[in-house]
Amino acid sequence: MTEKNGNLIMAESLKEQGIKYVFGIMGHPVIELALNIQSVGIEYLGFRNEQAACYAAQAYGYLTRKPAAVLCVSGPGLLHVIGGMANAQINCWPLLVLGGSCPTDHEGIGGFQECPQVEACRLYCKYAARPPTANLIPSHVEKAVRLATYGRPGAAYIDLPATLLQQKVNEQSIMKIPQCPPPPLIYPQFELIEKAAALIIAARKPLVIIGKGAAYSHSEKQIQELISSTGLPFLPTPMGKGVVPDEDIHCVSSARTAVLQNCDVILLLGARLNWMLHFGRPPRFQSDVQIIQIDICAEELHNSVPGSVAIQSDIIPAVKELTSLLKRKNYCMSKSNPWWRKLILFSEKNREVIHKLSLDTSVPLNYYTVFREIQNMLPKDSIICSEGANTMDIGRTMLLNNLPRHRLDAGTFGTMGVGLGYAIAAALYCKDSAPHKKVICIEGDSAFGFSGMEVETMYRYKLPIIIIVINNNGIYGGLDTETFRQIQQSGAPTQVIPPFALTCEVHYEKIMEMFGKQGHYCTTVEQIQKSLNYALQLKNEPSLINIMINPQADRKEQKFNWLTESKL
């Protein structure tokens, strides 16, 4: 009878469950598994760091609602992945992690890279298991994919000891498990939809907050219909941008502080009342604000503050029901409403301040001028990946998204180092689904340092990603060149160089010379325009633009900073 080993069974099981991409780094004991993965028709991309591979796999899962897999070696390789796994779990993105591990007959006696991997992963995923025998691998793969995608999405881990991968079993004994179907829709209780509609109709200052859960659910059509038919103002969270276009007249991002501080009823769509929304508490919100929560996860309801109406449901059916009911009641909020007039005034005032900052072309440049030039030149359907401190926060306000799932950033976990991995996933998504789209990866200079060598991964796989480094010589802000050199020479560097400072005027663009290509170093608006124009014409290769800005460049004054509540 025909026999198969664990490597081939695992590869075929991944194929059966619809896994298209596997990302990872080669080594013992998964070399043969990677070769088998390619042999069955799955695409494999080798990375330079396991965390970056994990970030790419989860971003692909977010963009497609179908998990990609990250493949890593035992011990240290798996531990490197855990940081990425935690990011996926907290972001609620589907991810499948496959970890090679020590042979079972070497456990407990000091085996090579021996580590309690299943136990280590369990805190950071929805499912962690080791198949006991090779013929049961298909069952575990199906369950891992199913749990990663059903309910609140997240990470799943399968442990693969070398002995399991090498084990040969009779083909007839291998479990035959079909591909798991798409997750079922959860429908809302209609009486709760009625309560939600009544609250909205009675509200004097209503607001819709759109989170990345709404983007993940592909509910843009239903939410756009809700906004256009009711005239309600909306505020997107960072990765909720584009579910309704940022350029829509109902978007009140420019009045974020005023709208959050004054609204009396909030319709929360796929967003959580965590640190990103200041926990829904004063002073960021009114103490008596009423919240309508729509979330797929029952455990999220009433979290941080009690919801006035808490609806467990997929967003699509809930928003359809709510919109239909509000239409039947002829509800529509006029722009002459006092609430709208107040929001328009706040928006115009803030936009005027930002516009004035963006017109300053003096060298060294500031953030707002740089982002204005990027915004003016980027195609409107670009996917923007961004990380860094001020780079990410200011870019979020300046760079508009008019399509859903077209912005990827540090997310709920606030993770730095995600940018290049996310960009690789976005480029693969575009290659498969929208080859005309551009992927722009905008990095602070510190953030770029976490995974800069993944530029080589981009080049190896011919991915046309435009990397833009916003370089201010430091973390949050650095020093000018003269000051840095004076400090560096004034004593022991570890004693005198400020913790926030990085080496001044580093030419990150020269990384491209490793491939015989040219990077771009910019200090003026004209150089930015020329470099971006060149990069936008490239096909099948990455580009890197290094833009120097004023190390002391600051952002518009914020009335409330992140984590306001925890600092009271």
Side-chain angles (χ1 to χ4, degrees), residues 199 264-266 268 273 280 289-293 305-310:
L199 266 184
D264 60 0
V265 171
I266 294 173
L268 197 64
L273 292 175
V289 65
Q290 298 191 79
I291 296 171
I292 304 164
Q293 269 184 295
V305 295
S308 299
V309 183

Side-chain angles (χ1 to χ4, degrees), residues 124-180:
Y124 307 103
C125 60
K126 295 177 69 179
Y127 177 71
R130 171 189 288 182
T133 60
N135 59 342
L136 293 177
I137 286 174
S139 175
H140 285 269
V141 172
E142 186 276 338
K143 185 173 183 180
V145 171
R146 175 162 40 87
L147 294 189
T149 53
Y150 277 37
R152 173 183 275 179
Y157 174 69
I158 299 179
D159 195 56
L160 302 171
T163 40
L164 178 74
L165 293 174
Q166 295 161 7
Q167 181 186 12
K168 293 182 179 180
V169 296
N170 186 321
E171 186 172 8
Q172 290 185 342
S173 72
I174 300 170
M175 293 194 70
K176 302 294 188 290
I177 308 292
Q179 185 173 143
C180 71

Side-chain angles (χ1 to χ4, degrees), residues 383-458:
I383 296 181
I384 299 170
C385 306
S386 183
E387 61 175 332
N390 290 335
T391 295
M392 181 176 65
D393 291 340
I394 298 172
R396 180 184 298 143
T397 65
M398 297 288 292
L399 303 177
L400 303 182
N401 292 102
N402 289 316
L403 294 170
R405 299 169 297 283
H406 278 57
R407 179 180 173 85
L408 301 165
D409 68 16
T412 309
F413 211 21
T415 307
M416 290 295 110
V418 297
L420 274 67
Y422 282 4
I424 290 171
L428 294 173
Y429 169 77
C430 290
K431 177 177 73 74
D432 296 339
S433 306
H436 64 282
K437 287 185 188 292
K438 300 294 183 182
V439 176
I440 318 297
C441 184
I442 302 178
E443 303 273 300
D445 50 333
S446 173
F448 179 72
F450 281 80
S451 54
M453 277 306 298
E454 299 304 339
V455 176
E456 188 274 328
T457 307
M458 297 175 182

Side-chain angles (χ1 to χ4, degrees), residues 50-59 68-73 75 77-100 116-129 148 153-159 413 415 418 422:
E50 289 95 348
Q51 273 195 3
C54 193
Y55 295 141
Q58 63 196 254
V70 56
L71 176 64
C72 62
V73 302
L78 186 275
L79 293 175
H80 291 168
V81 166
I82 284 178
M85 192 186 308
N87 188 66
Q89 184 71 1
I90 290 170
N91 269 342
C92 308
W93 289 358
L95 169 71
L96 178 59
V97 177
L98 309 172
Q117 296 183 186
V118 176
E119 292 84 351
C121 291
R122 194 162 278 133
L123 282 174
Y124 307 103
C125 60
K126 295 177 69 179
Y127 177 71
Y157 174 69
I158 299 179
D159 195 56
F413 211 21
T415 307
V418 297
Y422 282 4

Side-chain angles (χ1 to χ4, degrees), residues 13-56:
S13 299
L14 295 171
K15 181 75 171 179
E16 178 63 34
Q17 293 305 321
I19 302 298
K20 181 174 176 61
Y21 288 106
V22 173
F23 309 122
I25 293 181
M26 279 302 85
H28 180 79
V30 295
I31 297 172
E32 291 81 7
L33 176 54
L35 294 171
N36 276 270
I37 282 169
Q38 287 185 313
S39 74
V40 300
I42 297 173
E43 298 186 49
Y44 176 86
L45 284 84
F47 278 64
R48 305 302 297 265
N49 179 280
E50 289 95 348
Q51 273 195 3
C54 193
Y55 295 141

Side-chain angles (χ1 to χ4, degrees), residues 145-465:
V145 171
R146 175 162 40 87
L147 294 189
T149 53
Y150 277 37
R152 173 183 275 179
Y157 174 69
I158 299 179
D159 195 56
L160 302 171
T163 40
L164 178 74
L165 293 174
Q166 295 161 7
Q167 181 186 12
K168 293 182 179 180
V169 296
N170 186 321
E171 186 172 8
Q172 290 185 342
S173 72
I174 300 170
M175 293 194 70
K176 302 294 188 290
I177 308 292
Q179 185 173 143
C180 71
L185 278 179
I186 300 174
Y187 282 80
Q189 296 172 253
F190 186 70
E191 60 270 23
L192 295 179
I193 295 293
E194 289 182 312
K195 288 182 180 180
L199 266 184
I200 292 170
I201 291 168
R204 293 183 302 108
K205 300 175 182 179
L207 172 68
V208 179
I209 296 180
I210 302 171
K212 75 171 176 287
Y216 180 82
S217 70
H218 289 232
S219 57
E220 52 268 19
K221 179 180 176 182
Q222 291 74 24
I223 295 178
Q224 288 172 21
E225 174 65 17
L226 170 70
I227 298 299
S228 64
S229 65
T230 61
L232 288 166
F234 76 90
L235 179 71
T237 65
M239 278 189 275
K241 284 164 61 72
V243 172
V244 182
D246 283 346
E247 293 181 322
D248 189 283
I249 60 172
H250 301 96
C251 181
V252 292
S253 290
S254 297
R256 188 179 195 274
T257 294
V259 72
L260 291 181
Q261 206 170 18
N262 291 284
C263 61
D264 60 0
V265 171
I266 294 173
L267 174 59
L268 197 64
L269 301 177
R272 291 173 279 177
L273 292 175
N274 53 25
W275 67 274
M276 297 184 80
L277 286 173
H278 303 267
F279 312 104
R281 300 174 184 171
R284 199 53 150 131
F285 295 81
Q286 297 287 327
S287 59
D288 58 352
V289 65
Q290 298 191 79
I291 296 171
I292 304 164
Q293 269 184 295
I294 299 177
D295 201 287
I296 198 172
C297 178
E299 289 79 3
E300 187 61 39
L301 302 176
H302 306 293
N303 193 37
S304 183
V305 295
S308 299
V309 183
I311 305 170
Q312 184 192 14
S313 174
D314 278 275
I315 292 176
I316 288 176
V319 171
K320 282 178 70 174
E321 290 279 6
L322 181 59
T323 303
S324 177
L325 185 54
L326 290 171
K327 281 182 176 180
R328 291 200 299 272
K329 294 180 179 292
N330 297 314
Y331 175 80
C332 186
M333 192 178 189
S334 167
K335 289 295 183 295
S336 62
N337 183 290
W339 175 230
W340 256 120
R341 291 204 302 268
K342 185 175 183 179
L343 294 179
I344 290 169
L345 285 174
F346 274 109
S347 296
E348 289 176 347
K349 181 181 178 181
N350 287 333
R351 279 196 291 263
E352 185 178 335
V353 172
I354 289 174
H355 181 66
K356 184 177 180 180
L357 289 167
S358 72
L359 293 178
D360 180 6
T361 60
S362 59
V363 176
L365 299 171
N366 68 59
Y367 286 105
Y368 295 91
T369 303
V370 169
F371 282 124
R372 183 198 66 184
E373 294 303 320
I374 295 172
Q375 171 63 28
N376 287 342
M377 294 191 69
L378 287 190
K380 287 191 173 185
D381 64 349
S382 299
I383 296 181
I384 299 170
C385 306
S386 183
E387 61 175 332
N390 290 335
T391 295
M392 181 176 65
D393 291 340
I394 298 172
R396 180 184 298 143
T397 65
M398 297 288 292
L399 303 177
L400 303 182
N401 292 102
N402 289 316
L403 294 170
R405 299 169 297 283
H406 278 57
R407 179 180 173 85
L408 301 165
D409 68 16
T412 309
F413 211 21
T415 307
M416 290 295 110
V418 297
L420 274 67
Y422 282 4
I424 290 171
L428 294 173
Y429 169 77
C430 290
K431 177 177 73 74
D432 296 339
S433 306
H436 64 282
K437 287 185 188 292
K438 300 294 183 182
V439 176
I440 318 297
C441 184
I442 302 178
E443 303 273 300
D445 50 333
S446 173
F448 179 72
F450 281 80
S451 54
M453 277 306 298
E454 299 304 339
V455 176
E456 188 274 328
T457 307
M458 297 175 182
Y459 185 80
R460 191 176 353 131
Y461 294 111
K462 300 182 177 181
L463 300 176
I465 297 164

